[in-house]
Amino acid sequence: MSGAGLARLSTIYRQGVLGRRPVVPADFAELERRARRASSSRAWAYVAGGAGEGRTMRRNREAFDRWAIVPRMASGAVDRDLSVNLLGARHSTPVLLAPVGAGALMADDSDLKIARAAAATGTAYVFSNQGCNPMEDCAAAMGDAARWFQLYWSKDEQLVDSLIARAEAIGAGALVVTLDTTVLGWRPQDLNLGSLPFSRGQGIAQYTSDPRFREIATERAGQPSPKPEVTLGAIRTLLAMTRNHPGRFWANLRSPLPKASVETFLDIYSNPGLSWDHLATLRDRTRLPIVLKGILHPDDARRAFDLGADAIVVSNHGGRQIDNATASLDALVAIRSELGPEPAVLLDSGIRTGADVFTALALGANAVLLGRPYMYGLAIAGQTGVEDVIRNVIAELDLTMALAGTPDIASITRSFLTPA
């Protein structure tokens, strides 16, 4: 994607000559402000909110602020190569789209719009296990474009195997196992609204499209259940479950399956007992490269690779799980120091701009995962909004590389940073 920065500048400024301003803002603060205005209170609480007092979210940003870029002059490089090798595949840039659940809070058919935007920009997309469109539909929307699949380890081992088999069948380039959400964190923004999207059937499409899950849910639907309290809120929730369940609305409304599916999901979607013993079985369960996501301690990073992982994602889940946790960028520095230069290490949590991507790469990340920014673009302008956010981040990365004197990703080293 050589010249992405100048090409993006040219596109925006040429439109400006015609009196047209970008729909999606070029700076994160305005992007966030407009996305909040475009979102419902429930959507904003879920996507923008964090754990506890928000200290981990703030710490993720403060960690980037502790580093400053030191550009070098007169490099003589006209073009830049932003491509990277990850898990045996060549990616046009070091930016992937992180898995974000319940995206339909921001826009209908969210995962399909994100998938199409990823394909249009040549960006790998990590399908969320808590997505709102089945992975098969998203893969079809992407054509041959790169996609990975996130796995939440269910209490039902047959469901784990079913999800893995489907990820293989859609041509996923990796299986990304999320380790840090064996239970939901304390999220006051959601709690203050009494809002959990999954309880309304949002974000469970990978499950309701799965044969093993449907088998469990159907069995549950045939069992007697306590008579629910009838309130206006309960009726609205039932209607939301009905709309979000696959099939015809009126047939779903008469069926116990939508409610049983939600209850089944809430019971089994994640396994609080997840252990290294579970993870040790992965090599025998899939041929896909294995990526373990949610690593923050050097000892866990070392153990992940000793167990046979192909890569890890250093992540604190965007500050959504534990309040007052260490910043992902700080953890990256410690983990890269422990592991040395060879193992594949990705970073998420806190990435907002192309300059952030540059900083993360300089501190040892092989690639980064972008999360909230593209969801904000989705809220503002759907698929086009996601594309614009991706192009803006890549453009700034390219321009930062040009101005810092780095012709390719491999040349971005810590020598270009200084403590701020």
Side-chain angles (χ1 to χ4, degrees):
M1 198 172 284
S2 176
L6 291 176
R8 187 65 177 156
L9 292 181
S10 176
T11 297
I12 293 174
Y13 288 139
R14 285 177 183 274
Q15 289 295 306
V17 169
L18 301 174
R20 298 169 184 156
R21 296 183 180 181
V23 174
V24 173
D27 67 297
F28 181 75
E30 184 65 10
L31 173 70
E32 187 173 49
R33 188 184 73 81
R34 291 196 201 174
R36 182 167 193 169
R37 192 169 62 194
S39 303
S40 70
S41 58
R42 288 176 182 268
W44 192 252
Y46 184 79
V47 175
E53 299 302 304
R55 286 173 290 187
T56 306
M57 288 180 62
R58 292 194 296 274
R59 193 163 288 154
N60 281 335
R61 292 306 307 155
E62 291 165 356
F64 280 95
D65 292 339
R66 287 198 294 272
W67 294 96
I69 297 169
V70 185
R72 305 299 299 273
M73 297 298 107
S75 68
V78 176
D79 298 317
R80 286 152 304 286
D81 180 4
L82 274 61
S83 66
V84 293
N85 281 316
L86 288 175
L87 307 182
R90 194 73 176 171
H91 295 251
S92 59
T93 78
V95 176
L96 295 80
L97 300 188
V100 179
L105 288 164
M106 291 299 208
D108 291 338
D109 283 330
S110 53
D111 301 65
L112 291 176
K113 291 172 181 173
I114 297 164
R116 293 184 184 114
T121 56
T123 306
Y125 176 27
V126 184
F127 294 169
S128 173
N129 202 158
Q130 319 301 56
C132 297
N133 299 96
M135 67 178 89
E136 292 81 4
D137 295 349
C138 294
M142 295 189 76
D144 294 331
R147 78 292 303 251
W148 294 2
F149 179 70
Q150 175 204 34
L151 175 72
Y152 276 81
W153 204 290
S154 171
K155 291 179 183 177
D156 187 89
E157 291 293 323
Q158 292 181 58
L159 178 57
V160 172
D161 285 331
S162 182
L163 290 166
I164 292 173
R166 291 170 64 199
E168 292 177 347
I170 63 164
L175 184 71
V176 183
V177 184
T178 292
L179 307 180
D180 56 13
T181 315
T182 52
V183 295
L184 282 178
W186 186 256
R187 301 175 184 174
Q189 291 90 337
D190 292 326
L191 290 166
N192 290 343
L193 295 173
S195 173
L196 182 66
F198 313 117
S199 67
R200 299 165 61 86
Q202 288 180 306
I204 67 171
Q206 306 298 8
Y207 297 82
T208 55
S209 59
D210 189 273
R212 172 56 185 166
F213 180 86
R214 288 200 301 266
E215 180 182 306
I216 303 169
T218 300
E219 181 180 340
R220 181 171 189 146
Q223 298 172 352
S225 60
K227 189 173 182 179
E229 182 181 356
V230 178
T231 66
L232 182 58
I235 293 170
R236 287 173 176 163
T237 298
L238 178 62
L239 292 174
M241 290 179 189
T242 303
R243 282 194 302 271
N244 291 317
H245 195 80
R248 292 177 172 273
F249 176 84
W250 292 109
N252 285 342
L253 192 59
R254 293 189 294 270
S255 169
L257 195 55
K259 182 172 180 287
S261 294
V262 167
E263 292 172 344
T264 301
F265 169 84
L266 294 174
D267 279 350
I268 72 170
Y269 85 94
S270 193
N271 186 349
L274 180 64
S275 70
W276 293 101
D277 289 339
H278 289 90
L279 301 175
T281 67
L282 281 171
R283 279 271 68 105
D284 295 327
R285 299 171 86 157
T286 182
R287 62 178 183 273
L288 295 177
I290 296 167
V291 182
L292 299 185
K293 181 176 183 290
I295 302 290
L296 291 172
H297 195 287
D299 290 351
D300 286 345
R302 174 65 68 189
R303 189 164 188 178
F305 285 108
D306 288 346
L307 206 65
D310 297 282
I312 62 170
V313 181
V314 177
S315 168
N316 56 33
H317 213 91
R320 293 166 56 75
Q321 281 298 91
I322 296 178
D323 189 25
N324 203 28
T326 188
S328 290
L329 191 69
D330 291 341
L332 170 68
V333 174
I335 286 171
R336 183 54 84 186
S337 176
E338 167 70 18
L339 297 180
E342 292 305 317
V345 178
L346 289 75
L347 174 86
D348 85 6
S349 305
I351 298 288
R352 298 291 178 261
T353 69
D356 292 341
V357 178
F358 185 99
T359 300
L361 297 173
L363 291 174
N366 296 97
V368 304
L369 279 70
L370 187 69
R372 287 186 179 95
Y374 83 77
M375 291 298 294
Y376 295 166
L378 177 70
I380 294 169
Q383 177 184 334
T384 301
V386 178
E387 291 181 28
D388 284 349
V389 168
I390 296 169
R391 290 194 171 103
N392 288 348
V393 170
I394 296 303
E396 188 185 2
L397 171 62
D398 180 58
L399 293 171
T400 303
M401 291 173 63
L403 294 167
T406 52
D408 55 29
I409 299 301
S411 65
I412 303 175
T413 63
R414 197 185 292 202
S415 66
F416 286 90
L417 298 183
T418 188

